[in-house]
Amino acid sequence: MPLTEAENTDSQFLFDLNGRVRNLGLPANPANSLVPLFEAVSNAIHAMEVRWGEDVVRSGEVTIEVHRRTEEEESHVVGFTVTDNGIGLSEDHWRSFRTSDSPAKLTRGGKGVGRLSWLKAFRECRIVSRFDDDRVLMERSFTFSLKAANPVQDHKLAPAPSDARQGTEVRLGPFESNYEVHCPKKTATIAAKLVGHFLPYLVVARAPRITLIDGAELVDLRAYYAENQARNSVDIVNLAVDVLTGPQEFHIYHTLLKKQLKFVENGLHWMFYAGNERVARQDCIDGQLGLKYVGDDEGCVYVGLVAGPFLDSHVNQERTSFTFDADTQSEIHKAAIASSKMFLSDFIDRVRARQVEVTGRVIRENPQFLPFLDSLPTFVADNFSLSTQNEEEIYVELSRRKLRLKRRIDGQLRSIQNNTSESVEADVQQVTK
């Protein structure tokens, strides 16, 4: 009697989890070292949103405990424990957890691969989850690792202890060595990167309480963000980036943050792009803005956040970039920069006024630059970047413009001499001036 398709193992699709994790686009580097932690915190937020709904900001709580190699300050971080008071791993959520690339959280933008990053970066994960099962609090515990063919080991399901509360605890660690070396050591750096990654929740005041615990140090991320925020605004722009669906709406959130809260070590001012409430791309915009520190006391940096349905639908599964082409990215970025300059116009005008003052003084002290004195504010705005501010920088720029002007006049003189100009009289008048 022939075997049915279900009985014939030769026809069954085989899934290689080790290969799936190996091919996960998450190379060990400083940018990716905290991605598995971000995934655990994101899962916690989703679990709390399911349980608490619109009340998640007031009732949701997640703690992140840092584990270090030694008790010495800023020793190597070896792992984290993320604890939430969310819905827990009920049977439906447990089935989703055990399914690679699960579609269970598609409506929230989940890609179903976040926990695979745990297997990529950590040698082992230990999960204890408590959930409500027909008014009985149950506890599910297991180990999650690639040490065995089945990544779920030591699974136990039993009634929860009487003093237990609903929610999930995920202990990640120890790190694989190639990820450990890239993990930040300073508590403030870890806190800043968490704030940066979950900025979409914080800027619209939709984040639950998130507390980072590192030994005796506690950081409330909502308070940390609020205390370091000097000014904020939001702009809505429509861009025709998709010919099939027409103009797309983008929300651009502008924030001035005190320079103590920097998400990235290099650069001052940044534009972040979020898909499904997660930052997936970040660009330093110091060159486009041309500003140094800003704010009333020049103690702030600018951070912009771009979000919208178009970005939500084009974020990649690792949430590290977007799937649209470079031209589309350029159009979105150009609009974001234009919006940011409007937000920063007070500081830009202040810099321009200072540039005009210093440039006028340099010209008066160096008569060879007198041709530039006419319409000085327009000349400065058209020729100087905002970062050109001190006398030496302005002198160099004036010398460069003078050399270019001389070359242009030389060309006009040659044209007059050769009588090839269409308007000799106009050229003579311009050169004479």
Side-chain angles (χ1 to χ4, degrees), residues 14-306:
L14 302 178
F15 179 77
D16 184 353
L17 181 61
N18 281 276
R20 178 70 177 88
V21 172
R22 184 175 58 252
N23 294 329
L24 189 66
L26 195 72
N29 58 43
N32 291 332
S33 63
L34 291 178
V35 168
L37 173 62
F38 298 155
E39 294 292 347
V41 175
S42 180
N43 287 347
I45 293 174
H46 288 166
M48 290 184 291
E49 288 174 337
V50 172
R51 181 182 180 189
W52 299 108
E54 294 298 322
D55 200 35
V56 66
V57 175
R58 186 173 65 87
S59 300
E61 296 180 8
V62 55
T63 61
I64 306 163
E65 185 178 356
V66 180
H67 304 299
R68 296 185 180 272
R69 185 171 296 281
T70 69
E71 294 183 359
E72 295 179 6
E73 186 177 357
E74 294 184 12
S75 68
H76 276 269
V77 174
V78 296
F80 305 91
T81 295
V82 178
T83 307
D84 66 67
N85 64 342
I87 193 70
L89 284 173
S90 62
E91 286 302 322
D92 288 343
H93 292 92
W94 174 232
R95 188 180 303 107
S96 172
F97 182 94
R98 290 182 288 116
T99 305
S100 175
D101 301 272
S102 166
K105 292 193 289 185
L106 280 178
T107 56
R108 290 186 175 84
K111 306 293 185 180
V113 298
R115 61 204 176 284
L116 299 186
S117 69
W118 304 347
L119 300 176
K120 181 91 170 180
F122 294 97
R123 298 175 202 168
E124 186 175 279
C125 312
R126 181 67 185 170
I127 293 96
V128 178
S129 185
R130 303 177 182 99
F131 60 95
D132 185 4
D133 185 18
D134 195 20
R135 298 186 180 181
V136 175
L137 194 63
M138 299 296 292
E139 180 176 280
R140 187 188 304 279
S141 62
F142 59 96
T143 299
F144 189 53
S145 75
L146 291 177
K147 292 180 180 179
N150 182 0
V152 176
Q153 298 291 315
D154 304 321
H155 176 258
K156 295 178 182 178
L157 179 62
S162 59
D163 59 345
R165 69 169 189 165
Q166 188 170 347
T168 300
E169 176 186 288
V170 177
R171 184 182 179 99
L172 304 172
F175 262 122
E176 296 287 357
S177 58
N178 56 334
Y179 284 88
E180 179 183 326
V181 296
H182 293 298
C183 182
K185 296 180 182 178
K186 294 183 178 180
T187 308
T189 304
I190 297 173
K193 288 185 177 295
L194 282 162
V195 168
H197 191 79
F198 292 101
L199 196 61
Y201 284 98
L202 293 164
V203 296
V204 295
R206 289 182 49 246
R209 180 181 297 277
I210 304 175
T211 305
L212 179 67
I213 303 173
D214 190 358
E217 190 169 359
L218 274 69
V219 182
D220 182 326
L221 295 189
R222 290 192 306 197
Y224 186 49
Y225 173 75
E227 290 165 0
N228 285 281
Q229 182 181 222
R231 177 181 162 194
N232 65 81
S233 178
V234 61
D235 188 18
I236 299 176
V237 299
N238 288 280
L239 297 175
V241 293
D242 191 331
V243 295
L244 297 178
T245 58
Q248 299 289 316
E249 185 175 277
F250 294 85
H251 290 228
I252 305 174
Y253 299 91
H254 305 294
T255 307
L256 288 188
L257 294 175
K258 296 177 183 177
K259 59 186 178 183
Q260 293 90 332
L261 179 54
K262 286 180 62 177
F263 307 144
V264 189
E265 286 76 11
N266 300 319
L268 299 180
H269 312 296
W270 289 82
M271 189 68 71
F272 289 75
Y273 296 87
N276 296 308
E277 299 177 314
R278 304 276 300 282
V279 170
R281 179 189 173 100
Q282 55 194 42
D283 292 329
C284 180
I285 57 173
D286 290 356
Q288 291 98 317
L289 291 183
L291 291 170
K292 299 177 181 178
Y293 286 113
V294 294
D296 294 334
D297 58 353
E298 296 186 346
C300 294
V301 296
Y302 167 81
V303 173
L305 173 72
V306 186

Side-chain angles (χ1 to χ4, degrees), residues 231 254 271 285 287-291 302 334-349 352 386:
R231 177 181 162 194
H254 305 294
M271 189 68 71
I285 57 173
Q288 291 98 317
L289 291 183
L291 291 170
Y302 167 81
K334 187 188 303 181
I337 292 296
S339 181
S340 70
K341 287 183 176 179
M342 290 294 294
F343 174 76
L344 296 166
S345 60
D346 290 349
F347 308 112
I348 292 175
D349 292 345
R352 286 301 188 200
L386 291 168

